[in-house]
Amino acid sequence: MNLEQQCQGIEILLTDVDGVLTDGGVILNNEGVESKQFHIRDGLGFKLWRQAGFKCGLITGRNSQVVRLRAQELNMDIVRQGIQDKATVAQEVLKRFDLKPEQLAYVGDDLIDLGAIRLAGLGIAVADAVEEVKDAADYVTKTPGGKGAIREVIEVILKAKKVWNDIIHTY
């Protein structure tokens, strides 16, 4: 099955955070307050994704107030933090929404994402992911994590589904 065919059935996009929505860096100040930098185009990408009628969510290995705030801002359907077994959580999400693995796109960058990438109908690695993740992925972005990789993924899927032009027509 080619990429365009894989994209046809996708109904939900789940993604890791650190290394995908960010460049993987974590900044802690002297008081232990964490900050992260997110790419604004990814945010609009999620808005376009939801505008097209699809669900999205975050599954991350770390717990972070910053992630909770960003997820709220992006109106995520799913936010799961502190997760080491992402494939099991992805299966729970699929069950919750009565979806099959082939309807899932999952984006990751590191070994902790391998199970979810292998489960997904469309497993995706960001350009600067570790080699094992790239090898397991159906698609590797041209864009590195934290630099708009999610926007690239969303555009690829929405274009393959032939809804991109309808969505951007509103701008």
Side-chain angles (χ1 to χ4, degrees):
M1 185 181 308
N2 66 31
L3 178 63
E4 189 167 325
Q5 291 169 323
Q6 284 177 290
C7 291
Q8 293 306 313
I10 300 300
E11 295 292 324
I12 188 166
L13 172 64
L14 299 176
T15 180
D16 179 28
V17 176
D18 295 316
V20 176
L21 291 180
T22 74
D23 66 5
V26 176
I27 301 165
L28 291 173
N29 71 13
N30 290 337
E31 289 77 41
V33 176
E34 179 183 63
S35 65
K36 299 175 188 265
Q37 182 172 321
F38 298 96
H39 201 289
I40 202 71
R41 275 185 245 148
D42 286 339
L44 180 57
F46 280 120
K47 180 181 178 184
L48 298 172
W49 181 256
R50 292 186 55 73
Q51 185 178 337
F54 303 112
K55 299 196 177 311
C56 54
L58 308 176
I59 305 174
T60 179
R62 298 185 69 245
N63 284 301
S64 169
Q65 174 70 2
V66 174
V67 170
R68 188 185 66 72
L69 292 170
R70 183 66 171 152
Q72 253 181 333
E73 181 180 53
L74 296 174
N75 198 25
M76 290 286 160
D77 297 292
I78 298 292
V79 181
R80 294 289 304 274
Q81 297 195 65
I83 303 300
Q84 299 306 304
D85 183 354
K86 295 182 180 186
T88 296
V89 171
Q91 288 172 329
E92 291 168 5
V93 170
L94 291 173
K95 186 175 181 180
R96 175 180 166 189
F97 292 111
D98 194 29
L99 297 171
K100 297 178 178 124
E102 50 273 10
Q103 294 174 292
L104 167 65
Y106 182 89
V107 187
D109 73 307
D110 212 341
L111 299 176
I112 193 171
D113 299 304
L114 276 172
I117 285 172
R118 290 178 181 139
L119 169 70
L122 180 59
I124 303 162
V126 294
D128 54 340
V130 299
E131 288 305 312
E132 294 85 354
V133 172
K134 288 183 191 179
D135 290 344
D138 301 301
Y139 178 77
V140 178
T141 65
K142 295 170 185 65
T143 312
K147 304 293 183 190
I150 290 296
R151 174 64 173 272
E152 176 186 333
V153 166
I154 289 168
E155 286 188 28
V156 164
I157 297 171
L158 293 180
K159 285 176 182 176
K161 287 175 150 300
K162 310 281 191 249
V163 298
W164 178 253
N165 288 336
D166 293 336
I167 296 296
I168 66 167
H169 183 71
T170 61
Y171 289 90

